[in-house]
Amino acid sequence: MPESFPPAADPPAPPDPADFDMMRRALQLARAAGDMGEVPIGAVVYRALTPDHAQIVGEGANRREIDNDPLAHAEILAIRAAAQAQGDWRLSDLRIAVTLEPCPMCAGAIVNSRLSRLVFAAFDPKAGACGSLMRLTEDPRLNHRVTPLSGILAEESSQLLRDFFRSLRQEKNPRSKDD
Ligand SMILES: [Zn+2]
């Protein structure tokens, strides 16, 4: 391997029980968004007090349709809420849990807010910027990096998304039940 090859990112620490708890909360937020006709994606910004306990600082769920806002992704809303609550845009002692792999915009927001840990559930092969299409949060050229922890409660998140899109198709075309 040539010497100039970029070094592998440090392996992330394994997820804590608190990360799973926060992902469960993010899934609740995602489900509520789905009930309102939004693609079900939720995010929680939190402070890990111990490996078992976390304090929620900001929450968000996708509101793109309701707000007619292409920026109203769950992560952006959770990060903004957390920064407001902290009175500081630097979130370097906080973590984020999100039910779907962040897109380039949200991955950029995670870098810019200096979050210390990114935990996500399902991969997004079409738009994900944290392993699928690119690895934005791990780019060594950026001045802040986060190695994502992926696959946390991924099946629950994938199921939620599948159910949402299935019911959407059935609404549009009530006669085809199984496609
Ligand atoms: Zn996004």
Side-chain angles (χ1 to χ4, degrees), residues 66-88:
I66 291 171
D67 290 350
N68 291 316
D69 183 355
L71 277 55
H73 288 194
E75 301 95 310
I76 300 291
L77 300 176
I79 288 169
R80 194 173 274 154
Q84 294 291 311
Q86 292 273 96
D88 192 346

Side-chain angles (χ1 to χ4, degrees), residues 83-103:
Q84 294 291 311
Q86 292 273 96
D88 192 346
W89 62 268
R90 297 170 198 82
L91 306 182
S92 45
D93 59 337
L94 305 181
R95 303 177 179 183
I96 187 167
V98 52
T99 60
L100 187 65
E101 181 185 0
C103 73

Side-chain angles (χ1 to χ4, degrees), residues 1 5 10 13 19 24 33 46 53 86 107 123 133 146 153 160:
M1 193 178 292
F5 194 83
D10 291 337
D19 297 319
R24 285 186 200 97
Y46 56 99
H53 291 285
Q86 292 273 96
F123 278 95
L133 301 182
V146 193
L153 303 180
L160 200 57

Side-chain angles (χ1 to χ4, degrees), residues 105-117:
M105 172 179 71
C106 294
I110 287 163
V111 169
N112 279 317
S113 54
R114 300 184 184 167
L115 285 158
S116 64
R117 180 175 286 193

Side-chain angles (χ1 to χ4, degrees), residues 15 19-27 30-31 40-42 97-102 119-125 132 149-163:
D19 297 319
F20 282 86
D21 286 347
M22 294 297 104
M23 187 61 79
R24 285 186 200 97
R25 175 60 188 153
L27 284 163
R31 198 166 287 117
I41 304 165
V98 52
T99 60
L100 187 65
E101 181 185 0
V119 180
F120 71 85
F123 278 95
D124 183 356
S132 290
L149 295 171
S150 57
I152 310 303
L153 303 180
E155 188 42 46
E156 284 88 333
S157 175
S158 298
Q159 188 65 48
L160 200 57
L161 288 158
R162 276 197 298 272
D163 290 348

